[in-house]
Every structure is written in C-alpha cells, then in structure tokens.
Amino acid sequence: MASAEQSQDWDSLEETNETPVTLEQMDALVTELRTLRTDYEQKKEASSAAHALYKEQEDKVIGALRASKRRDYRVQGIGLVVIREEEAYRTPKTNGEKTALFNYIKDKYGPDVLMGMASINSQTLNSWANKEAESGVMSIPGLEAPTMTESLSFRR
C-alpha cells in the first residue's frame, strides 16, 4: 500500500502540464540519445588525437626556437609564435604546509586577508604567489618552489 507521502508524489506528477509520451516516442528519444552519445565519444577521441598531434608539433617548434636562441618567430601571412613561460605553484597538500602558508599570510597581511584565502584555489594561489615573488619574496612558507611551464602562443 502506498504511503501518504508517495501518494502526494504521484499527485504532483499528475499535476504537471507535460504530455505523456508513447512507448514509440520514448524508443525514439533513447535511440537518438544513444546516437548522439556515440557521435560525441567518437568526436572526443578524434579531438584527443588531434590535440596530441598539435602538442607534438608545438614541442618541435619550441625546440627549434630554443635551438635558434629565439623566443618568437613570424611567418608572413601565417602568424607569430612566441614562447611563453609561466611559473606555477602547487597548492599545499599536507596540514604542515597549509599551516605554514596560512601563518605566513596571517602574519604579513592579517586575519581578514587570511580568511579571504582560506579556501584558496590554484589560480588564486598562483596569482597571489607570483605577486609575492614580484615584491621580492624569495620563499613562501608552505609552498614548494614553483615549476616553470612552457607553452607556445600563436597569434595571427
């Protein structure tokens, strides 16, 4: 026997203005969903393969620029490639690292700034740590030294 709560749930379903669908319509909807999912998965695989080829070529171009002791190169009618370098800090993982970082922030900037960064994400952390480095801070407690990431910027 249905409970009063289940009965209310069924009543609320009946109150919707949606028109019921036939089994044939449901078959068609699910069939189309499956077709679109298969298409999506195939395109996703193709995209991953294309991205791998692109990254491989990007590495070749960076290597050629480095070998030529250049940071950029322009091909008329094609575009300009420029090597970009970015420092990235790893978000502290251990309680000790977090405590050291948060104590540093609290001691230098106060509890209000600390509270604003208590749930710090990697983008915010990197932006803040880079500003610290620009101001002359060489080591931030709780943070490992940044890793350098190279990428290629392509402009037309």
Side-chain angles (χ1 to χ4, degrees), residues 36 44 63 70 101 121:
L36 292 172
K44 187 175 175 184
R70 298 184 65 124
L101 174 61
N121 67 40

Side-chain angles (χ1 to χ4, degrees), residues 22-88:
T22 66
L23 294 177
E24 291 81 17
Q25 290 170 321
M26 201 60 199
D27 287 350
L29 288 169
V30 173
T31 300
E32 178 67 11
L33 178 65
R34 178 63 182 160
T35 301
L36 292 172
R37 180 179 177 144
T38 301
D39 184 48
Y40 164 74
E41 289 170 351
Q42 289 171 346
K43 288 178 178 173
K44 187 175 175 184
E45 286 177 26
S47 174
S48 294
H51 185 259
L53 290 172
Y54 174 80
K55 292 302 286 179
E56 185 179 315
Q57 187 66 19
E58 187 177 71
D59 291 344
K60 288 178 185 177
V61 171
I62 289 173
L65 286 170
R66 291 257 181 251
S68 303
K69 297 187 182 352
R70 298 184 65 124
R71 295 192 46 72
D72 58 51
Y73 187 79
R74 178 180 300 278
V75 177
Q76 287 298 332
I78 301 296
L80 170 71
V81 290
V82 179
I83 294 177
R84 289 185 31 204
E85 294 177 341
E86 293 180 287
E87 289 184 336

Side-chain angles (χ1 to χ4, degrees), residues 116-134:
M117 296 179 76
S119 62
I120 195 167
N121 67 40
S122 63
Q123 287 180 331
T124 302
L125 174 68
N126 278 293
S127 175
W128 175 81
N130 285 328
K131 286 179 186 169
E132 285 293 289
E134 288 171 10

